[in-house]
Each structure stands twice: as C-alpha cells, then as structure tokens.
Amino acid sequence: MPRYLTLVRIEEGAFQMEEADPGFDERMGALFEEITKAGVMLETAGLKPTAESTRVVWEGGKIGYTDGPFTETKEVVGGYSISQCRDMAEAVEWAKRFLEIHPPQWKVTCEVREIEEM
C-alpha cells in the first residue's frame, strides 16, 4: 500500500495554540486515535519554530547556511504526518478531516504527496 507525506503549512506566529477553542485538543485526539486504529497513521509530529532551525543550501558549487527565523517566508512547514492509504483520495480525505478540526479563523494548509518507493 502506498505511503503519503502530508506537510502541514502554517503562517508562523499568526496564531497561538492557546487561541484554540476548548474542544480543539479533544477533537484532535479523537481523530488521531481513529486514524491510528484504522492502521493509516504511521508517524506524525509538529515542528519547532523556524527560529530554532537552519537552512542548508547548495548553490554555485558551494554550501551555504542560514539560521532562522526565516522572516521572508510567509508559510512554513509546522508539522507532518506519514500515512499508509489505499490511494491519494483516501490520503486527501484524512487531510481534509484534520483541517476541519481547526478553528475557522486559522489558516492551515496540507500538502499531500505520495512517497516514491525506491
């Protein structure tokens, strides 16, 4: 069965977890329990802020490093998941369900990509 990487993109600093409605954590926990019991979720995690990260770039035959935060970037990857689904449609459906749990005033984007098996 194919595996899918879902990149969760957020506008860093645009909202705080403390701003979520009181039922947010419970809804998220219930979805994670459901997707895990279904055998779909293989791994998931949030990422630390870009202020604690470094970009490594290969350009012109040289390596370059840039320490965060990356203020020129509006959206950043704030988390990820790796799932095993029948097809892209199922992976997208799980991403949709994940997004619908979030407060309506937040902007959260999921990019779903099939992992190429070597």
Side-chain angles (χ1 to χ4, degrees), residues 10 15 25-26 35 48 50 56 59 71 78 81 90 93 97 99 109 113 118:
I10 61 168
F15 56 82
D25 288 336
E26 290 79 22
I35 195 171
K48 292 198 173 200
T50 62
V56 183
E59 185 176 6
T71 55
S81 70
E90 181 184 12
E93 178 62 25
R97 292 184 59 195
L99 290 173
T109 304
R113 299 177 66 177
M118 300 293 197

Side-chain angles (χ1 to χ4, degrees), residues 49-67:
T50 62
E52 299 178 42
S53 65
T54 300
R55 284 187 179 156
V56 183
V57 178
W58 173 257
E59 185 176 6
K62 296 180 182 180
I63 291 286
Y65 303 92
T66 305
D67 291 333

Side-chain angles (χ1 to χ4, degrees), residues 60-113:
K62 296 180 182 180
I63 291 286
Y65 303 92
T66 305
D67 291 333
F70 309 121
T71 55
E72 74 281 359
T73 305
K74 186 171 183 175
E75 284 189 340
V76 299
V77 176
Y80 74 94
S81 70
I82 297 176
S83 58
Q84 192 164 30
C85 302
R86 290 183 307 275
D87 52 27
M88 177 65 84
E90 181 184 12
V92 168
E93 178 62 25
W94 283 112
K96 176 184 147 265
R97 292 184 59 195
F98 169 78
L99 290 173
E100 290 174 336
I101 288 172
H102 291 78
Q105 68 273 20
W106 291 8
K107 181 182 178 192
V108 183
T109 304
C110 285
E111 178 181 338
V112 181
R113 299 177 66 177

Side-chain angles (χ1 to χ4, degrees), residues 7 9 15 20 24 34 43 50-51 62 67 77-78 114:
L7 300 169
R9 297 186 185 275
F15 56 82
F24 176 71
E34 179 184 357
E43 182 178 336
T50 62
K62 296 180 182 180
D67 291 333
V77 176
E114 186 172 347

